[in-house]
Amino acid sequence: MTALTSALQRLPKVELHCHVEGTMRPSTVVELAGKNGIALPTEDPTQLYRYTSLDTFLEIFWLVQSVLGDRDDWARLAYESVVDGVEHGLAYRETFFTPARHLDVGQDLADIVAGLAEGLAAAEDETGVRVMLIADIDRAYGPGPGLEMVERLVELRRAGAAGTERVLGLGLDSTELGVDPRDFAAAFELAGREGLRRTSHQGEVTPPTTIQAGIDVLGCERIDHGLSLMDDPELTQRFVDERIPLTVCPNSNIRIANAFPRLEEHPYPRMRERGLLATLNTDDPALTDLDLTEEYRSVMEAFGYTWNDMVAIALDGVEASWLDDDDARALRGRITEEGERLGAELTD
Ligand code: HPA
Ligand code: ZN
């Protein structure tokens, strides 16, 4: 490993767009499939990890998700996701989980949230790294199950159920084509009324009208991906003026959505030059042969960024996060200090 890659690995990083199921180690996929009697088409799941579109990716994502059978499985997944992230300088993450298909087959949201929170707490005790949760609605299941999930989450929060204190917000993911985000307004309205933060995947493979619906109809404070945003200059200006964050996943856009043939063609640098708060994230690292080090390294190389550019990207993650002011200030200080120390080492 070069000194630069090693410095990027050690730079404390924030991640705001990472699906916990998309962090599942291949060995865990195989073990949980065996435990829960799920037939996999191959003994080496990584052979399945090549995609031609978001929807072909989602077929695999759903297969991987299906191996999670009980509370202990969710706890193991959450624990391993943090331990694996810490190896790549993860300092703080707000992670998605998308339980629609588990709820559909009779798992209780209470067990899923309690399991995830238990795994995150164990990893936090061991590593000092905090990870919070965003409950995602799966668009493919439609607005009814989405609203039911939020209603159950609200019920659990009000009852002070185990783990609910880790759930910061509501998100929306899965297939975009043929789905109108406005159909999910009731679920997002309820979440907003209950004090949950809101974000949604928009514009990964759809036009900027869906991004606008995300902020104006669903009340989102952030947009996940938002890849098509700059096709609408007026909306782009609003995102710049209001510092509405985008959680961008450049390598995922190449490997999952096949949006561009090469990373060099991704609009990430143009987004940042335009003044957008465009953060850097991995999306589904274990399903795309990625990690935070490689995300930072490849972006730095593809776009000719300097060390200070990469520190600025890490700091933007803090601004876009839902940390409270004190925690955000502390993390900003840590990234700045480590960034300066590691940068000085590189120029020695
Ligand atoms: N887009 C939509 N849904 C998803 C993704 C994504 O990139 N990853 C996991 N679920
Ligand atoms: Zn995503």
Side-chain angles (χ1 to χ4, degrees), residues 82-93:
V82 184
V83 170
D84 294 350
V86 169
E87 249 185 74
H88 294 281
L90 180 70
Y92 174 69
R93 181 186 277 157

Side-chain angles (χ1 to χ4, degrees), residues 17 19 96 173 201 204 224-225 249 283-284:
H17 188 156
H19 301 260
F96 302 121
D173 66 25
H201 284 56
E204 184 176 1
D224 305 309
H225 290 302
C249 311
D283 207 2
D284 296 284

